[in-house]
Amino acid sequence: MSPASRADKKAAADAGAWMFNVVTSVGIIIVNKALMATYGFSFATTLTGLHFATTTLMTVVLRWLGYIQPSHLPFRELLKFVLVANFSIVGMNVSLMWNSVGFYQIAKLSMIPVSCLLEVVLDKIQYSRDTKLSITVVLLGVGVCTVTDVSVNARGFIAAFVAVWSTSMQQYYVHQLQRKYSLSSFNLLGHTAPAQAGTLLLLGPFLDYWLTNRRIDAYDYNIASVIFIILSCTIAVGTNLSQFICIGRFTAVSFQVLGHMKTILVLVLGFFFFGKEGLRMQVVIGMVIAVIGMIWYSNASSKPRGKERRIHSLPTNRQQKHGSLAESSGT
């Protein structure tokens, strides 16, 4: 296969992965919004546990069919990932409960610079000026779209801090573990989903009761709400898988930057489906700025030196000795 054909095939696969993630992510947001707003199912942590239980079932079936090959992930790495990932889920839920919508959106936006910092410190990644500027434009555009009222309190700030850092670390680990242990997205999900399902289903009902003062066993289940719960769990399988695929193929920073396209789509679809406030001029302007920033980021980060790993070449003792011998033989 020629290099051009391989490049075209990779570009098509990359686009397919992004579309898969966008469609499933936007779909699950709309379904969960209807489930919580219309049917009053406000048990977000337990629902996430059900999502991972469904994902676990999917990985078990695929392994039984032979589509997932045996792989190894050290228990220490698994434990570290599950702790960070669960702190991310609980932290985001608590942050949403304790903060204003405006500060919650600012906290979500701050995940991009935090993810950049992690790549710079841990992976020695260096960004070009255009890449940095394009990220700034995306942050500005999404901020104009989503940030309205901004008020902060001490406990809300702590919850947001934990949520931002744990989510950024979780997404960094997804990329790092796949690369370090040569794991596919299916393999990594097969290791992490059962552990997350077990811990979240065990702790979720207590956390949800603490946050909402409502017990999940006292919820008034009906056919419609159960159908929406099943639909949410089904879509979540695609959301979890597509997230691992996208972060594995790219990086956590690219996933965060380009992932804000989902924020824009949610705003647009929310207008069509729920029609509460409409698309104000401020929101439209923010969308345009964000899209321009995303296009700029895609172009800038793909250029040579747009985003690269720093390599420091230090002379070794052998090289120094070889140089000294060469000098002595030339005299």
Side-chain angles (χ1 to χ4, degrees):
M1 185 182 294
S2 66
S5 299
R6 283 197 296 268
D8 291 342
K9 187 176 180 180
K10 182 182 183 302
D14 290 347
W18 277 118
M19 285 302 300
F20 184 29
N21 181 254
V22 168
V23 170
T24 55
S25 298
V26 173
I28 199 170
I29 288 172
I30 292 174
V31 170
N32 286 351
K33 186 173 183 179
L35 179 62
M36 294 181 182
T38 305
Y39 298 102
F41 190 87
S42 56
F43 311 101
T45 308
T46 306
L47 181 62
T48 307
L50 292 173
H51 291 169
F52 281 108
T54 311
T55 304
T56 299
L57 180 62
M58 181 269 296
T59 60
V60 169
V61 171
L62 289 177
R63 184 177 290 112
W64 178 66
L65 293 174
Y67 290 103
I68 299 181
Q69 302 303 318
S71 60
H72 174 67
L73 180 65
F75 178 75
R76 181 181 177 184
E77 299 278 23
L78 175 62
L79 180 62
K80 183 168 61 174
F81 178 89
V82 170
L83 284 174
V84 171
N86 286 354
F87 265 110
S88 167
I89 293 165
V90 175
M92 293 300 291
N93 290 339
V94 173
S95 177
L96 183 58
M97 293 288 295
W98 287 354
N99 289 308
S100 66
V101 175
F103 187 74
Y104 175 78
Q105 292 294 343
I106 289 176
K108 286 182 67 177
L109 289 175
S110 67
M111 291 178 194
I112 293 180
V114 170
S115 295
C116 290
L117 178 64
L118 289 175
E119 288 192 355
V120 169
V121 173
L122 300 178
D123 285 346
K124 311 302 180 186
I125 296 294
Q126 189 170 17
Y127 296 92
S128 68
R129 187 191 65 171
D130 279 0
T131 303
K132 294 174 186 175
L133 289 174
S134 66
I135 291 174
T136 304
V137 171
V138 173
L139 291 172
L140 174 64
V142 178
V144 170
C145 281
T146 59
V147 176
T148 52
D149 61 311
V150 179
S151 59
V152 61
N153 55 77
R155 67 174 188 172
F157 179 83
I158 293 172
F161 182 85
V162 171
V164 167
W165 277 94
S166 57
T167 301
S168 301
M169 287 296 297
Q170 183 260 348
Q171 293 181 356
Y172 172 81
Y173 280 141
V174 168
H175 182 76
Q176 191 248 2
L177 291 176
Q178 289 190 53
R179 186 180 60 192
K180 183 177 180 180
Y181 295 101
S182 302
L183 298 172
S184 69
S185 303
F186 287 101
N187 286 136
L188 187 56
L189 267 179
H191 289 292
T192 60
Q196 285 191 261
T199 52
L200 290 174
L201 288 176
L202 181 64
L203 300 175
F206 300 101
L207 288 169
D208 289 330
Y209 179 74
W210 174 55
L211 291 172
T212 66
N213 202 29
R214 296 177 61 196
R215 289 171 44 184
I216 192 170
D217 60 314
Y219 175 75
D220 185 20
Y221 294 92
N222 55 59
I223 295 176
S225 63
V226 171
I227 289 174
F228 268 88
I229 292 172
I230 294 173
L231 182 59
S232 176
C233 292
T234 303
I235 299 174
V237 174
T239 306
N240 291 331
L241 178 59
S242 63
Q243 182 194 45
F244 278 38
I245 291 174
C246 286
I247 298 177
R249 294 182 72 89
F250 309 102
T251 63
V253 172
S254 295
F255 181 76
Q256 283 283 346
V257 173
L258 300 179
H260 278 297
M261 179 61 71
K262 293 176 286 191
T263 304
I264 295 174
L265 285 176
V266 168
L267 289 172
V268 174
L269 292 175
F271 167 69
F272 285 113
F273 284 99
F274 301 100
K276 288 186 177 179
E277 295 183 356
L279 295 178
R280 292 172 287 114
M281 183 56 65
Q282 173 189 336
V283 176
V284 174
I285 292 173
M287 287 180 180
V288 172
I289 295 173
V291 170
I292 291 173
M294 290 174 197
I295 295 172
W296 188 8
Y297 174 83
S298 299
N299 184 52
S301 62
S302 62
K303 286 182 176 179
R305 304 184 69 83
K307 181 180 176 182
E308 62 181 3
R309 192 182 303 273
R310 294 195 302 267
I311 300 177
H312 301 285
S313 56
L314 298 175
T316 62
N317 290 335
R318 183 177 295 180
Q319 289 174 325
Q320 291 173 347
K321 288 179 182 179
H322 179 73
S324 300
L325 288 173
E327 288 176 4
S328 60
S329 62
T331 55

